[in-house]
């Protein structure tokens, strides 16, 4: 029986799956099986999976399209490992990932774990800028595994795992916005330990264009209110920052028609984003793009957050599960 069962839901991503499988072939530890669940794709990756069948322990399944949470649950039902490990199909895994992860778990057992995500050298400049805006303390408060954080670490399914015992106790993923945060919350509330394993990072390509990125972030903002309605104690001050950014920018722009210096706080903040990105990436172009992606990240999330807060909290509409499914399938 393998130590890890890697479960990856796939929807129309054969090219990304090839990159993922290629990186898995290079692992220094092969104590894992791969469960690929094709979620009703019109561009299936079966041929790609067959190409790597001799090099990896691959189990490929095709099912009708029902959403990635149900696809992950489908994979767990058929997995045989001690730990269930989840990657997104657009991830590339460093060569020593499994060796590092297993060593960390043997040194200090944990029921549930997650790791951060980085940008690979081969990624495009816009992908690197998006990665910066999604991981920087200046934009997210470090909540995705940064060295500094304003909130408890919450594993995300681009790099997340938990034991079979957790699965038997808590059950599978819900088909909803931010299903990984919901899952992590349920695991924590059930009394299981959760740990950030920082050396077990992955390379995460994310969205390749600003429009797709904006839509994804907008849904993330809406999902935070859905999570609040399920778990009121999980809404923290850091989650309000994008909404405050949107309202603050709107106020500064309005006042600037009468007093141009009202824009100075925004200018200083964006200059800080530029400077930190330049220091981290050592590329002027990526630093400039990071300003754009950070505005998109904060603006998209903030607008989604505000809209959901007004509709679901102030107007009392609550969670609209049909809307969540529709938006998710439209991604």
């Amino acid at each position: 029986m393998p130590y890890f069962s890697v479960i990856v839901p796939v929807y129309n991503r054969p090219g990304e799956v090839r990159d993922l499988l290629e990186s898995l072939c290079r692992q220094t530890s092969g104590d894992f099986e791969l469960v690929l669940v094709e979620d009703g794709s019109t561009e299936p990756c079966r041929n790609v999976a067959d190409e790597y069948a001799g090099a990896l322990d691959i189990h490929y399944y095709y099912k009708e399209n029902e959403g990635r949470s149900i696809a992950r649950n489908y994979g767990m039902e058929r997995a045989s490992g001690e730990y269930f490990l989840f990657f997104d199909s657009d991830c590339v895994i460093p060569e020593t990932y499994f060796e590092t992860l297993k060593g960390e778990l043997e040194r200090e057992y944990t029921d549930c774990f997650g790791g951060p995500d980085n940008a690979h050298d081969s990624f495009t400049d816009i992908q690197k800028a998006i990665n910066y805006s999604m991981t920087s303390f200046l934009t997210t408060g470090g909540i995705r595994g940064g060295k500094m954080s304003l909130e408890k670490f919450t594993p995300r399914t681009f790099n997340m795992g938990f034991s079979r015992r957790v699965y038997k106790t808590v059950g599978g993923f819900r088909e909803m916005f931010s299903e990984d945060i919901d899952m992590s919350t349920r695991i924590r509330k059930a009394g299981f330990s959760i740990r950030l394993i920082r050396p077990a990072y992955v390379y995460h390509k994310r969205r390749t264009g600003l429009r797709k990125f904006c839509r994804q972030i907008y849904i993330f903002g809406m999902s935070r209110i859905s999570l609040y309605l399920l778990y009121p104690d999980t809404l923290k001050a850091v989650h309000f920052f994008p909404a405050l950014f949107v309202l603050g920018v709107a106020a500064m722009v309005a006042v600037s028609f009468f007093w141009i210096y009202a824009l100075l706080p925004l200018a200083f903040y964006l200059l800080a984003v530029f400077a930190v990105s330049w220091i981290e990436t050592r590329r002027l172009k990526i630093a400039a793009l990071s300003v754009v992606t950070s505005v998109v990240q904060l603006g998209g999330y903030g607008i989604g957050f505000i809209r959901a807060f007004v509709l679901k909290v102030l107007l009392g509409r609550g969670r609209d599960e049909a809307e969540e499914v529709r938006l998710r399938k439209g991604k």
Side-chain angles (χ1 to χ4, degrees):
M1 182 177 72
Y3 194 70
F4 298 105
S5 288
V6 179
I7 299 165
V8 181
V10 183
Y11 183 72
N12 290 340
R13 302 287 182 91
E16 290 181 352
V17 169
R18 184 181 299 278
D19 291 341
L20 171 62
L21 298 190
E22 187 66 31
S23 69
L24 291 176
C25 284
R26 299 194 182 111
Q27 294 299 306
T28 56
S29 173
D31 195 5
F32 63 90
E33 65 174 353
L34 174 62
V35 181
L36 277 176
V37 183
E38 192 91 63
D39 189 35
S41 298
T42 57
E43 300 176 48
C45 65
R46 179 185 289 275
N47 291 340
V48 177
D50 288 343
E51 288 180 29
Y52 288 87
L56 295 168
D57 181 12
I58 297 181
H59 305 273
Y60 174 89
Y61 300 96
Y62 186 96
K63 60 180 290 299
E64 66 179 51
N65 179 248
E66 295 178 282
R68 62 193 180 201
S69 292
I70 295 175
R72 291 190 185 104
N73 295 341
Y74 185 96
M76 284 190 287
E77 291 170 0
R78 290 155 179 79
S80 59
E82 175 62 27
Y83 274 98
F84 298 147
L85 181 58
F86 304 92
F87 298 139
D88 285 346
S89 60
D90 59 353
C91 288
V92 174
I93 315 304
E95 293 180 3
T96 60
Y97 179 92
F98 287 94
E99 180 182 352
T100 299
L101 179 59
K102 189 172 182 180
E104 289 285 338
L105 292 174
E106 290 177 342
R107 181 179 62 83
E108 181 183 343
Y109 174 82
T110 186
D111 300 297
C112 176
F113 57 86
D117 56 336
N118 293 330
H120 193 270
D121 289 341
S122 65
F123 288 4
T124 65
D125 289 342
I126 191 67
Q127 286 175 322
K128 292 175 181 177
I130 289 174
N131 180 269
Y132 169 83
S133 65
M134 288 294 288
T135 58
S136 173
F137 181 81
L138 288 175
T139 53
T140 65
I143 63 177
R144 303 175 74 91
K147 293 180 179 179
M148 296 185 296
S149 180
L150 296 178
E151 185 194 19
K152 285 183 179 179
F153 171 70
T154 300
R156 314 293 175 104
T157 45
F158 61 78
N159 185 9
M160 173 185 185
F162 48 77
S163 67
R164 181 177 293 273
R165 185 165 68 99
V166 167
Y167 172 57
K168 289 182 177 180
T169 302
V170 178
F173 292 90
R174 287 175 174 160
E175 184 61 20
M176 60 174 291
F177 287 153
S178 294
E179 72 285 355
D180 45 7
I181 301 178
D182 169 75
M183 186 66 167
S184 296
T185 302
R186 288 157 52 204
I187 290 171
R188 182 174 277 118
K189 286 183 176 294
F192 290 106
S193 58
I194 296 180
R195 179 183 167 204
L196 166 63
I197 302 179
R198 190 166 279 115
Y201 62 89
V202 301
Y203 298 116
H204 195 187
K205 296 177 184 176
R206 304 189 184 280
R207 301 304 183 198
T208 56
L210 290 178
R211 179 176 294 182
K212 289 182 179 180
F213 178 53
C214 185
R215 176 178 173 79
Q216 181 188 47
I217 290 300
Y218 171 80
I219 292 174
F220 285 174
M222 294 188 67
S223 75
R224 177 48 62 182
I225 299 302
S226 295
L227 290 164
Y228 163 73
L229 294 173
L230 287 170
Y231 313 105
D233 60 329
T234 62
L235 189 62
K236 307 299 182 183
V238 66
H239 301 135
F240 287 90
F241 177 66
L244 294 175
F245 175 84
V246 170
L247 297 175
V249 169
M252 281 185 276
V253 170
V255 174
S256 70
F257 286 104
F258 310 98
W259 188 53
I260 191 64
Y261 295 106
L263 294 174
L264 280 178
L266 176 62
F268 285 133
Y269 174 75
L270 296 181
L271 181 61
V273 169
F274 175 86
V276 174
S277 178
W278 188 10
I279 291 170
E280 291 185 2
T281 66
R282 299 180 183 179
R283 292 276 306 281
L284 277 173
K285 182 179 179 181
I286 296 175
L289 286 171
S290 294
V291 174
V292 177
T293 57
S294 295
V295 170
V296 170
Q297 190 264 327
L298 291 168
Y301 190 105
I303 292 171
F305 184 98
I306 293 169
R307 179 176 183 271
F309 185 82
V310 171
L311 293 178
K312 299 180 180 184
V313 179
L314 296 183
L315 297 181
R317 295 185 184 180
R319 284 184 60 220
D320 185 343
E321 295 187 11
E323 179 192 36
E324 293 184 10
V325 172
R326 176 181 60 79
L327 284 172
R328 286 195 45 178
K329 288 189 175 182
K331 285 199 281 185

